[in-house]
Amino acid sequence: MQTAEQWKHNDPWSWREFSALLLLEFGFVIFVIKHGVQSLYEKWLNVPLYAGTLTGLTIAIVLLAGLYVIALRPHGLTWQSVGVRSFPSSYWSRILIWLLVLIALSIAAVMITSLFGNSVDNSKTEALKQQVNGFTVLIGIVSAGIISPVYEEIFYRGFVYRWLRTRTGAGWSIVISSLIFTAAHYPTFNAMPVNFISGVVFAWTYERTGSVIPAMIIHGVFNTIAVILTAFA
């Protein structure tokens, strides 16, 4: 077996690490940070957009620190073990194709769900629309286009998808990791169809490249486009 493919077939982790990190996400992050700490940020900053950005940064620090302490350090592993590695330059054209596929599928999902009364607006988009200027758009891009793609790809694809991949194969791993990724976006229910589609595309990208960086790029560009459209459309 080629070394580049070994991540798909074995890892040093057990159910203990997997369960602990999911508990960190669905216990501490959702109930403590999103429902507790974010309220404190909103009172402190008095601007929902700034509070949301600081909340995202806090989540990023908590999940990446948890991943390091629980899954990497005890086994003497580096971030390369969760997909933070270079990828062949030949994949750049495919990255563009995967981005276009994600955009097309997301538009289709929004159009279909709108037939049932689903709106694309949520607390995040409303926060940006309240005060649109160069600085707030920049904040939105930093939050959605940089912070989120980095920690989400490392956590959900680099660890969660890899853990599932070594045990269930590619198909089920893509579906299950995408469902976990979607559930983690609670309480933005109206964005969940697009979240699921995104999770599938990002997991597929990691499956094909062996690196989370291409998925970060697609994720970042996609979210940046969404921020710009939200602000100026």
Side-chain angles (χ1 to χ4, degrees), residues 119-158:
S119 171
V120 296
D121 288 326
N122 53 54
S123 59
K124 295 179 180 179
T125 59
E126 290 295 338
L128 179 59
K129 288 180 177 180
Q130 285 180 8
Q131 186 178 5
V132 177
N133 55 53
F135 182 71
T136 57
V137 172
L138 178 61
I139 289 293
I141 291 173
V142 169
S143 177
I146 299 176
I147 296 175
S148 292
V150 169
Y151 86 83
E152 288 180 351
E153 293 314 310
I154 293 174
F155 187 85
Y156 294 106
R157 259 60 66 178

Side-chain angles (χ1 to χ4, degrees), residues 2-66:
Q2 295 180 353
T3 302
E5 296 295 304
Q6 288 181 354
W7 69 271
K8 298 180 180 180
H9 302 280
N10 60 77
D11 65 56
W13 305 304
S14 68
W15 277 95
R16 183 176 59 183
E17 290 93 348
F18 187 72
S19 300
L21 286 168
L22 287 189
L23 181 61
L24 180 66
E25 167 60 90
F26 291 99
F28 186 79
V29 167
I30 287 182
F31 293 103
V32 176
I33 297 180
K34 289 186 177 181
H35 289 287
V37 175
Q38 184 167 0
S39 297
L40 295 177
Y41 288 159
E42 289 175 352
K43 292 179 181 178
W44 175 35
L45 298 172
N46 201 33
V47 178
L49 178 62
Y50 300 164
T53 301
L54 189 54
T55 298
L57 181 59
T58 303
I59 293 172
I61 293 171
V62 168
L63 289 183
L64 292 183

Side-chain angles (χ1 to χ4, degrees), residues 8 15 160-177:
K8 298 180 180 180
W15 277 95
V160 173
Y161 177 76
R162 179 183 176 180
W163 192 95
L164 292 166
R165 179 66 171 84
T166 65
R167 293 160 177 81
T168 64
W172 281 110
S173 299
I174 289 174
V175 172
I176 297 171
S177 66

Side-chain angles (χ1 to χ4, degrees), residues 89-221:
S89 59
S90 59
Y91 278 108
W92 277 105
S93 59
R94 301 185 195 183
I95 289 173
L96 176 59
I97 293 172
W98 292 330
L99 172 62
L100 295 175
V101 168
L102 174 57
I103 292 172
L105 291 177
S106 298
I107 292 173
V110 170
M111 293 177 65
I112 292 171
T113 56
S114 67
L115 298 176
F116 301 94
N118 186 46
S119 171
V120 296
D121 288 326
N122 53 54
S123 59
K124 295 179 180 179
T125 59
E126 290 295 338
L128 179 59
K129 288 180 177 180
Q130 285 180 8
Q131 186 178 5
V132 177
N133 55 53
F135 182 71
T136 57
V137 172
L138 178 61
I139 289 293
I141 291 173
V142 169
S143 177
I146 299 176
I147 296 175
S148 292
V150 169
Y151 86 83
E152 288 180 351
E153 293 314 310
I154 293 174
F155 187 85
Y156 294 106
R157 259 60 66 178
F159 175 77
V160 173
Y161 177 76
R162 179 183 176 180
W163 192 95
L164 292 166
R165 179 66 171 84
T166 65
R167 293 160 177 81
T168 64
W172 281 110
S173 299
I174 289 174
V175 172
I176 297 171
S177 66
S178 298
L179 288 172
I180 292 172
F181 178 64
T182 301
H185 283 80
Y186 169 87
T188 54
F189 294 106
N190 63 338
M192 286 185 172
V194 173
N195 294 148
F196 179 77
I197 292 170
S198 299
V200 170
V201 173
F202 300 150
W204 172 255
T205 302
Y206 183 35
E207 171 71 22
R208 299 298 295 172
T209 64
S211 170
V212 297
I213 295 176
M216 285 182 190
I217 295 169
I218 297 171
H219 196 160
V221 173

